[in-house]
Amino acid sequence: MSSSRSTDASIESPQGRTPGAGEHREVPEDHVIVGRVLGPWGRHGEIKLQLHTDFPERFASGGVVFLDGAPVTVQRSRPYKTGLLVKLWGVNGRGAAARLRDAYLTVPSAELPELDEATFYYFQIVGMEVVTGEGERLGHVREILETGSNDVYVVQRESARDLLVPAIADVVLDVDVGAGRMTVDLPEGLA
C-alpha cells in the first residue's frame, strides 16, 4: 500500500486574461494541480514554481499545462532549490509573472500517468471515507502526512481527535477509489 506524492491539478493559459495576485483562482473540476506559482524570478517573465507532482518532466520545453482553465505552453524550465524556474509562452516581464503569484498550474485528470495497482494519487485518497473491516465508520481522510518511511493518513472524526493511520499493507486492507472508501485494520492502541 502506498500513495504517490503527486497531486497533479489544473491551470493553463498562454493567451487570455492574467488574474491579479491574490485574486481567487478556480481549478476546473476535472483537473489536478501540478504546481503553484510562488512568484516572479528575474525580469524576463520566469516564475518560481512549487511542484505538486512526481512527474516534473511535464514542465519540459513544449509541455502544455493549464492556468485558470486555459492551456499554456512551457517555453523552458530549469531546477531551482526544491522546485523549478519556468518560463511560459505569453508571460513576458516581471510584472506579468508577478500577477501569477499563487496561481495553480493544472492538467486534466484524464492525462495523469497510470500508477501501480497499490499506488494512488493524493487527490484520490483525501476525502475518502475510512471504515474498519467490521464496517465501523471512523471518519474521512483530511490530509496525508509524508514521513520518512511511509505516508500517514489523518482521519478526521466527528466526535473525537483525529486518527493517524499509517499507509502500510498491514493496516490499510483495501482502497476502493470508485466507492470513495478505505478499509483499515487498526493495530491495538490506535483505535
Side-chain angles (χ1 to χ4, degrees):
M1 169 57 52
S2 66
S3 320
S4 175
R5 243 186 87 225
S6 186
T7 53
D8 281 10
S10 71
I11 292 180
E12 286 193 22
S13 180
Q15 64 273 42
R17 191 178 70 76
T18 302
E23 186 175 324
H24 180 68
R25 297 168 190 274
E26 293 291 325
V27 173
E29 190 174 308
D30 61 339
H31 279 227
V32 194
I33 296 171
V34 293
R36 182 174 72 89
V37 177
L38 299 175
W41 175 261
R43 56 185 184 172
H44 300 292
E46 281 186 297
I47 55 173
K48 293 181 283 188
L49 188 67
Q50 176 185 43
L51 293 176
H52 289 260
T53 180
D54 285 340
F55 307 101
E57 59 273 11
R58 72 175 70 252
F59 294 104
S61 179
V64 176
V65 293
F66 288 77
L67 176 66
D68 295 326
V72 291
T73 302
V74 176
Q75 186 174 350
R76 66 180 177 270
S77 66
R78 57 192 166 120
Y80 173 75
K81 295 187 179 180
T82 60
L84 293 174
L85 293 178
V86 177
K87 174 69 171 84
L88 300 172
W89 284 103
V91 178
N92 299 309
R94 185 173 181 84
R99 286 189 291 278
L100 296 179
R101 182 183 310 275
D102 294 325
Y104 291 108
L105 296 177
T106 66
V107 295
S109 55
E111 293 181 9
L112 296 177
E114 290 289 323
L115 299 176
D116 295 336
E117 186 177 313
T119 305
F120 305 91
Y121 287 104
Y122 278 14
F123 76 90
Q124 293 174 309
I125 299 291
V126 173
M128 191 171 274
E129 179 183 30
V130 180
V131 299
T132 65
E134 294 77 36
E136 177 189 354
R137 297 180 71 210
L138 298 175
H140 290 86
V141 178
R142 180 171 52 87
E143 68 178 300
I144 300 172
L145 304 175
E146 294 179 36
T147 67
S149 56
N150 57 270
D151 288 344
V152 175
Y153 301 138
V154 178
V155 178
Q156 183 175 6
R157 300 197 246 183
E158 291 181 21
S159 60
R161 292 185 348 204
D162 287 348
L163 177 66
L164 301 178
V165 176
I168 57 176
D170 290 347
V171 175
V172 179
L173 304 178
D174 183 54
V175 175
D176 186 340
V177 174
R181 178 175 291 140
M182 176 186 299
T183 305
V184 299
D185 179 20
L186 298 177
E188 194 168 320
L190 253 186

